[in-house]
Amino acid sequence: MSEELGNLQTIAMGIMPHQDLERPMDLAMGLDIPFWPQLPKMNYYEDMYVQFVDKFPGIVIDEEEKKIWLETERFYAQLPSFIENSNNLDYFKLSEDFSVSYSDFLEKDLSDRQAIKGQIIGPISFGLRICDEDRKPIIYNDELRVLLFDFTKQKLLAQYQDLKEKNENVIIHIDEPGLEMLFTGVTGYTSGTAKGDLQGLLTEIRAEAPEIPLAIHLCGKPDWDFLLQAEIDILSFDACSCGSAVVKYNSMVEFIEAGKIISWGIVPTKLEELEDLTADKVIENLEELWAKLVERGVSKEQIIAQSQLAPATCNISQGDYVSGVEEGFKLLKEVSEKLKSKYLD
């Protein structure tokens, strides 16, 4: 897997701040591992939470107020139809109403790429954010939570099926920003329950489609041991903010020694953070992190073979960050080219 997905290839998370389709698609296609952009600034239905609810029973979307919630009565009214289609992956495919970029991406010739990437909001983040009519997060409802995790599995498998037709090597990112809040102890959904639920989901996906490289992405600071020991193949994280802490974990060494991929989020996408930042400085910062792993017995050759390079975070839809994103992507590609020339040529 490292030769196909690692070797300092560029990749990114899905959210883009643009209000048009052409430019973010060009940026996405300009990376080694292209992806379909999520464009919430262009259309509310492009928001990663809204995209997820396509076919989820009971959901109400208020486009004007930019809110989504679950109505219990509506849920039970729509549940029979959901159950009837629960084993039909076509039912769970992302429709054009919920993403114009997805359908556009699928129309492209992606066969010559080393790999391509999709993404889906994680069930924990979704379940903590989306509430019922009583403002109670749906993840606290045992019946809804079971359905939510099964729904996630089917949505992921449906997307994988679509992308697999375009390229043999497909990565699906499960974006879980809610994991940071979960492990701070400020939620009634315990970390122990969450670990069991997430591990169960990954195990079920692996059982049904063992060839899928599963990735978890988050920008925050969760329980790193849990994620590094989870049944995933790729961990994507903000190495700018968290790298010095993560490389100290024994589980990080074990993760790499097991042949798994680290997607290093090394380039910021905010203009104020990019000021005076050069490719050489980014490389210096990254090599310092690698050196900590080398000190603990991991060969640099293995690290490089199992490394991807990415923007630092996915929070690039907040504010007017179009210029920052474009500069960040440009710098990311420059960093990758320099590192490939240094280590792989």
Side-chain angles (χ1 to χ4, degrees):
M1 182 173 67
S2 58
E3 293 181 2
E4 298 169 349
L5 305 181
N7 283 329
L8 309 173
Q9 293 186 82
T10 52
I11 192 171
M13 290 64 74
I15 304 171
M16 303 285 274
H18 300 72
Q19 297 186 49
D20 65 296
L21 176 59
E22 183 177 357
R23 185 56 186 154
M25 187 63 76
D26 286 345
L27 290 170
M29 292 296 295
L31 299 184
D32 294 322
I33 301 175
F35 63 97
W36 56 274
Q38 295 163 298
L39 305 168
K41 291 276 185 185
M42 185 177 78
N43 187 325
Y44 182 55
Y45 281 79
E46 303 282 324
D47 179 270
M48 64 180 178
Y49 287 88
V50 182
Q51 285 176 336
F52 183 79
V53 305
D54 187 13
K55 302 300 191 305
F56 196 92
I59 292 293
V60 178
I61 301 173
D62 187 333
E63 186 174 3
E64 184 174 336
E65 295 293 326
K66 292 183 167 42
K67 294 180 180 179
I68 52 177
W69 68 93
L70 183 137
E71 287 186 353
T72 304
E73 185 175 339
R74 184 186 182 99
F75 171 80
Y76 285 109
Q78 295 178 350
L79 187 58
S81 176
F82 173 84
I83 293 173
E84 182 181 349
N85 290 281
S86 59
N87 293 317
N88 175 16
L89 285 185
D90 287 341
Y91 179 80
F92 293 92
K93 289 186 176 182
L94 185 60
S95 68
E96 189 169 352
D97 289 341
F98 286 80
S99 179
V100 295
S101 67
Y102 185 65
S103 56
D104 186 76
F105 187 69
L106 293 176
E107 290 174 1
K108 298 185 180 300
D109 182 4
L110 303 167
S111 59
D112 63 336
R113 297 307 187 100
Q114 192 69 26
I116 60 176
K117 171 192 165 287
Q119 58 272 333
I120 186 172
I121 186 67
I124 293 173
S125 300
F126 183 85
L128 286 171
R129 177 167 172 175
I130 305 307
C131 299
D132 61 18
E133 60 270 20
D134 296 323
R135 299 185 179 180
K136 179 181 179 181
I138 65 172
I139 207 161
Y140 294 168
N141 182 310
D142 291 343
E143 185 177 19
L144 284 172
R145 187 170 74 248
V146 171
L147 184 142
L148 171 59
F149 276 80
D150 187 66
F151 182 83
T152 304
K153 179 190 71 174
Q154 296 299 83
K155 292 286 281 189
L156 186 149
L157 292 174
Q159 186 178 154
Y160 176 75
Q161 188 179 78
D162 277 344
L163 296 176
K164 186 75 171 177
E165 293 178 4
K166 306 301 297 183
N167 190 293
E168 282 296 308
N169 296 317
V170 176
I171 302 168
I172 303 288
H173 268 198
I174 301 174
D175 293 339
E176 278 286 15
L179 284 179
E180 180 177 35
M181 181 178 71
L182 182 69
F183 293 111
T184 62
V186 299
T187 171
Y189 179 56
T190 68
S191 60
T193 302
K195 290 177 182 179
D197 286 345
L198 187 56
Q199 187 59 54
L201 170 65
L202 296 171
T203 299
E204 288 186 15
I205 294 170
R206 185 76 69 207
E208 294 198 23
E211 73 280 12
I212 300 180
L214 289 174
I216 286 183
H217 167 77
L218 76 165
C219 305
K221 301 174 182 178
D223 180 331
W224 293 112
D225 264 333
F226 164 60
L227 282 181
L228 290 164
Q229 293 169 2
E231 196 171 333
I232 59 174
D233 303 294
I234 302 169
L235 176 62
S236 170
F237 75 105
D238 178 358
C240 291
S241 299
C242 306
S244 59
V246 177
V247 294
K248 296 178 181 178
Y249 280 75
N250 290 333
S251 50
M252 178 66 150
V253 173
E254 294 165 359
F255 190 89
I256 296 172
E257 289 179 340
K260 299 182 178 184
I261 302 288
I262 295 293
S263 188
W264 302 88
I266 53 167
V267 175
T269 52
K270 298 177 183 178
L271 282 175
E272 61 269 26
E273 296 176 2
L274 286 164
E275 188 175 357
D276 299 325
L277 185 62
T278 64
D280 289 339
K281 180 58 179 176
V282 173
I283 290 170
E284 179 185 345
N285 294 340
L286 181 59
E287 289 182 326
E288 287 178 2
L289 297 178
W290 290 351
K292 297 295 184 182
L293 293 169
V294 171
E295 288 174 4
R296 303 177 66 201
V298 185
S299 74
K300 183 173 283 189
E301 291 76 15
Q302 184 172 17
I303 295 170
I304 291 166
Q306 294 166 214
S307 287
Q308 296 174 347
L309 307 178
T313 71
C314 61
N315 294 327
I316 54 181
S317 66
Q318 306 300 314
D320 183 19
Y321 288 158
V322 172
S323 297
V325 169
E326 300 204 354
E327 287 299 314
F329 272 54
K330 180 181 177 181
L331 181 58
L332 177 68
K333 292 170 69 174
E334 184 182 352
V335 168
S336 176
E337 289 167 4
K338 285 195 169 191
L339 283 171
K340 286 175 184 175
S341 177
K342 181 176 182 178
Y343 289 112
L344 299 179
D345 288 350

